[in-house]
Amino acid sequence: MGETLNVIILDKEETSRNIIKNYLSCDEDISVIGEFFDFELGYDFAREKGKCLVFIDISQEQNETISLIKRLKENNKDAFIIVLSAKPSTETIIKVMRAGAKEFLNKPLIQSEFIETIKEIKSEFENAEPADSCKIISTFSNKGGIGKTSIAVNLAVELAQLSKEKVALIDLNLQLGDVATFLDMNPPFAMDYIANNINNLNEEDLLKAMSRYKNTSLYVIADPLNIDNSQDITAEQIKNIFAALKKTFSYIVIDIGTNIDSKTIAALDSSDLILLIAIVNLPAIRSTQRCMDLFNKLGYSSNKIKLVLNRYMENEDIKTSDIEEVVKQKVYWKIPNNYLTMMSAINKGVPVNEINAESNISVNYKDFASKVSDYLITRKFDKNYGKRELNI
Ligand SMILES: Nc1ncnc2c1ncn2[C@@H]1O[C@H](COP(=O)(O)OP(=O)(O)OP(=O)(O)O)[C@@H](O)[C@H]1O
Ligand SMILES: [Mg+2]
């Protein structure tokens, strides 16, 4: 017999509550400890129960219920939430997953699907991995000056703004990185200190050693102040830093250097999403092709790699379709060329949205953050429901 899984049901329909209880009844490790017609009462109950599985039906009063899910997740991080809905849509799925739900099931419930989901949840519950919600996104190109830092910085700022969750921004250009300059920060501690002390820092110490950007939920680890100190940083330490950050952060954005060394590979390996940055000119496209060869050799699935065209202008000589054909990868996102806003942002040490939130590049970064976070959420959903047609 495994660990007992305490279940709480919030559903306005008695029949539906009975169906769930009936489906769960054949598992002796599961105990239904509460069922509620009144969701606020159910919330008060579930909030205090620590590790538990909560079914919440959002078919009625959808928006109120989604905020309740968010509140519950904030006040009981250990609650596993399964959302049920008779009116599912892609937008709803994204909203509830973003609010903190673990799974989504359509109503009417199909017994086989329900049992399969519970089986997966149970194994996850028993292995309870608190860090599994963190996603690592890296910006990469083997060419310099292509926009890796601009993209990492502005995307991280927007992800923090959008999600309100903790986002870590890491400069892996260990010799002369630019992240701190792009955000006009003078971090008292940098990568060398954190790498050397990572085994002795608890979550709170680590957060204190990082530098918070203004009053936001973005925290930065900059490159070492002294170049000599960067040589001693090992790939092992980098991996340990990621493992530690995963416990506290929802997103880790890494600005990876152009050097292909063991630290770069460690960061690429750890990434859930690699933004492969290119600009529309022949040398850059050739380099991008070489990066794809490297990724193939490293055994990465093409799903993990997203091709991003930076400084994009309409009516480029080279067509997007030609690039896709050469690189053998669809273009995932295009960032417009806006030299003035970008340069002004870099020179002032602020993200582009602080220069002009209405500029094409600021709006583009906002949409980009939304696309990346939706992708990461739905990819998780896709993985669990691989066989189902989603059309997301
Ligand atoms: N969308 C854009 N439109 C116009 N200019 C841009 C855009 N994005 C970046 N740039 C410009 O490109 C230059 C290089 O950007 P950035 O420093 O981000 O590249 P990088 O790939 O990190 O370079 P390095 O390899 O030196 O680290 C900067 O001067 C920046 O202003
Ligand atoms: Mg850079």
Side-chain angles (χ1 to χ4, degrees):
M1 199 168 130
E3 187 182 347
T4 301
L5 180 54
N6 287 327
V7 172
I8 300 160
I9 308 170
L10 277 64
D11 194 319
K12 295 201 189 302
E13 290 173 23
E14 191 183 357
T15 342
S16 170
R17 296 198 300 269
N18 288 339
I19 290 173
I20 298 172
K21 283 192 287 180
N22 182 23
Y23 287 170
L24 293 172
S25 63
C26 45
D27 192 326
E28 56 177 24
D29 293 340
I30 289 178
S31 160
V32 179
I33 58 168
E35 54 174 299
F36 296 87
F37 164 83
D38 183 324
F39 282 22
E40 281 303 325
L41 288 180
Y43 162 78
D44 284 340
F45 185 77
R47 196 178 51 163
E48 307 297 334
K49 289 292 174 283
K51 218 168 155 189
C52 62
L53 175 59
V54 189
F55 288 93
I56 305 183
D57 177 42
I58 59 156
S59 306
Q60 297 169 43
E61 295 165 5
Q62 187 170 295
N63 290 339
E64 290 81 351
T65 314
I66 291 174
S67 6
L68 181 139
I69 293 170
K70 213 166 177 181
R71 269 193 285 143
L72 179 56
K73 212 44 215 170
E74 277 164 11
N75 289 296
N76 181 359
K77 286 195 172 48
D78 296 322
F80 278 44
I81 301 170
I82 298 189
V83 169
L84 316 170
S85 175
K87 295 173 256 174
S89 73
T90 306
E91 286 72 26
T92 313
I93 293 169
I94 289 172
K95 271 193 204 160
V96 297
M97 300 310 267
R98 211 175 243 166
K102 196 125 211 114
E103 302 293 348
F104 190 99
L105 287 176
N106 292 346
K107 272 181 149 186
L109 295 168
I110 300 164
Q111 188 168 13
S112 56
E113 193 176 68
F114 183 90
I115 288 177
E116 193 52 38
T117 304
I118 295 298
K119 220 167 98 190
E120 281 174 21
I121 288 269
K122 267 184 74 180
S123 90
E124 215 179 310
F125 194 80
E126 274 156 21
N127 300 318
E129 242 192 68
D132 79 331
S133 60
C134 176
K135 296 290 172 207
I136 303 186
I137 305 152
S138 51
T139 58
F140 182 73
S141 162
N142 58 353
K143 245 187 142 32
I146 214 127
K148 300 178 294 291
T149 307
S150 316
I151 295 174
V153 165
N154 285 284
L155 186 64
V157 166
E158 292 300 342
L159 278 172
Q161 172 73 25
L162 171 79
S163 67
K164 307 277 183 273
E165 289 166 20
K166 287 203 182 73
V167 178
L169 172 60
I170 301 176
D171 198 339
L172 264 200
N173 298 264
L174 297 176
Q175 300 185 340
L176 299 176
D178 290 321
V179 167
T181 315
F182 272 47
L183 291 175
D184 191 24
M185 297 171 91
N186 290 306
F189 302 106
M191 188 54 111
D192 46 344
Y193 171 83
I194 293 177
N196 288 329
N197 293 286
I198 192 64
N199 294 330
N200 306 319
L201 297 173
N202 62 27
E203 283 179 41
E204 211 183 318
D205 298 334
L206 180 58
L207 213 54
K208 277 191 200 144
M210 296 172 76
S211 303
R212 188 171 180 189
Y213 180 61
K214 295 185 177 164
N215 232 356
T216 68
S217 55
L218 175 66
Y219 291 76
V220 172
I221 302 182
D223 60 312
L225 218 55
N226 182 344
I227 296 184
D228 293 341
N229 293 350
S230 66
Q231 271 135 22
D232 301 332
I233 299 171
T234 65
E236 200 55 38
Q237 287 174 328
I238 301 280
K239 282 190 208 155
N240 290 343
I241 291 174
F242 294 153
L245 290 174
K246 279 180 138 195
K247 294 187 193 144
T248 310
F249 287 87
S250 297
Y251 297 95
I252 301 173
V253 180
I254 315 168
D255 176 13
I256 303 188
T258 39
N259 280 352
I260 313 270
D261 57 16
S262 59
K263 288 167 241 178
T264 297
I265 306 282
L268 291 169
D269 279 349
S270 309
S271 298
D272 294 286
L273 202 62
I274 300 170
L275 302 174
L276 177 56
I277 319 300
I279 53 175
V280 186
N281 68 38
L282 221 51
I285 292 164
R286 290 236 171 85
S287 294
T288 310
Q289 217 179 358
R290 282 193 211 113
C291 288
M292 285 303 291
D293 291 343
L294 169 74
F295 294 155
N296 283 335
K297 279 196 199 117
L298 291 169
Y300 298 162
S301 83
S302 63
N303 213 21
K304 165 167 167 163
I305 300 147
K306 300 288 169 205
L307 180 58
V308 176
L309 299 184
N310 191 27
R311 297 193 229 158
Y312 186 78
M313 289 185 280
E314 294 301 331
N315 309 317
E316 296 268 15
D317 283 345
I318 308 173
K319 284 197 286 209
T320 302
S321 55
D322 295 337
I323 301 173
E324 291 177 334
E325 201 173 312
V326 174
V327 180
K328 296 196 180 58
Q329 186 78 12
K330 284 260 167 237
V331 171
Y332 178 72
W333 196 255
K334 293 173 184 167
I335 300 170
N337 187 59
N338 188 334
Y339 187 74
L340 286 180
T341 310
M342 198 70 232
M343 266 333 282
S344 173
I346 295 174
N347 288 335
K348 293 203 167 81
V350 294
V352 285
N353 71 15
E354 286 189 35
I355 297 295
N356 176 3
E358 259 93 64
S359 69
N360 63 349
I361 192 159
S362 304
V363 173
N364 180 281
Y365 269 120
K366 217 173 257 316
D367 293 345
F368 189 20
S370 187
K371 171 136 172 162
V372 165
S373 80
D374 288 353
Y375 171 79
L376 290 167
I377 290 166
T378 48
R379 195 181 74 147
K380 174 193 172 301
F381 184 80
D382 264 343
K383 197 179 74 194
N384 292 334
Y385 289 77
K387 292 177 216 95
R388 200 194 288 179
E389 297 256 332
L390 263 175
N391 286 333
I392 287 176

